[in-house]
Amino acid sequence: MKKLLIIILLFCIPLYFVKGLKSTPQTQETPEAQEKQCEIYVKVNGGEIALNEYLVGVLAGEMPASFHEEALKAQAIAARTYALRKTEYGKKEIQATTAHQVFETVEKRKEKWQSVFSTYENKIEQAIEATGNQVLTYDGELITAMFHASSSKQTESAKNYSGHDIPYLQSVSSIEEPLIETVNFTFAQLNEKLKQKLSADAYGNMKLARNDTNRIEQVTIGKVGWSGREFRELLQLKSTDFSVKWSTKGLEVITRGYGHGVGMSQHGANAMAKDGTTVEGILNNYYPGAQIEEANYCKEVGKQ
């Protein structure tokens, strides 16, 4: 009987202590703390900064802060998408020039905006915050969110610009009044820039062939030819939508629009916003078929 009692006690005592143990409470991370752990950092100008801080510098460098809030939101989403794709979510460095995206430091912004620095800085920060982690995707992948300053009635297609047909970078209508610039070149200046020895008469017989978006596709002078894109780059013209006027002194070149013309027109986005179009409508116009989605930073950071 004593042996049986001892066995029962030996069996029950551990159960008693197990039941009496209190589980150690696990601290739950707040959503803000989790988001901080998953923050994306961008390598630019030899340093590394948080993505949103980087985007402030990009919006300041790429779009006038005086533009409508919906246009700034569209630029924020396009710039975020471009940066994440180009850097592979922060793994690679990005250039701070037009080669990638223009980025202005806080010192540069203060110098540029001076007395309205706080106003413009807050306006840009609000546009970025309002778009959260939104990006543009096509078939589940980040798009190449190209943009430019101004178009003339319609944008350029990726196929015309680079030879690659991209579904979401087609030619679409753009409602803004295009930026127009007139530049004069003497024949000597033209020969220097084009690396030629062409006569004034040869320039007078210049032939311009336009593509389906009314931009210059081919320039032919005598037996020499250039694509519109090459000619624009050699003469440092604002766009490939141009016309020329010949005189005995040289050529007058009139350009319409500013930039390569592919993707979102920034002045067009502003004109649409002023007409009451939302950020969604602006992006749907300039990137047909692309979707606006929330990027999962935690998922991407986990891959690194």
Side-chain angles (χ1 to χ4, degrees), residues 179-187 189-191 193-194 203-204 206 208 210 216 219 221 228 230-247 249-257:
L179 301 176
I180 298 175
E181 181 179 84
T182 300
V183 188
N184 291 287
F185 298 98
T186 65
F187 297 122
Q189 289 172 330
L190 290 167
N191 279 332
K193 290 178 180 295
L194 299 174
Y203 282 108
M206 175 189 294
L208 303 177
R210 294 185 180 272
I216 301 301
V219 178
I221 308 174
E230 290 169 338
F231 196 78
R232 177 205 171 199
E233 290 170 355
L234 288 169
L235 296 189
Q236 296 181 307
L237 303 175
K238 295 294 187 186
S239 80
T240 54
D241 183 358
F242 62 86
S243 56
V244 298
K245 291 181 180 179
W246 183 90
S247 74
K249 295 181 179 180
L251 288 183
E252 180 182 85
V253 183
I254 304 98
T255 58
R256 295 171 62 83

Side-chain angles (χ1 to χ4, degrees), residues 264-300:
M264 183 177 71
S265 164
Q266 294 165 323
H267 280 262
N270 192 46
M272 291 180 73
K274 286 181 176 179
D275 275 358
T277 307
T278 64
V279 58
E280 292 83 7
I282 293 169
L283 295 175
N284 287 338
N285 179 65
Y286 288 111
Y287 304 104
Q291 305 296 316
I292 302 174
E293 297 183 5
E294 287 282 339
N296 187 340
Y297 292 169
C298 289
K299 178 183 175 183
E300 297 302 329

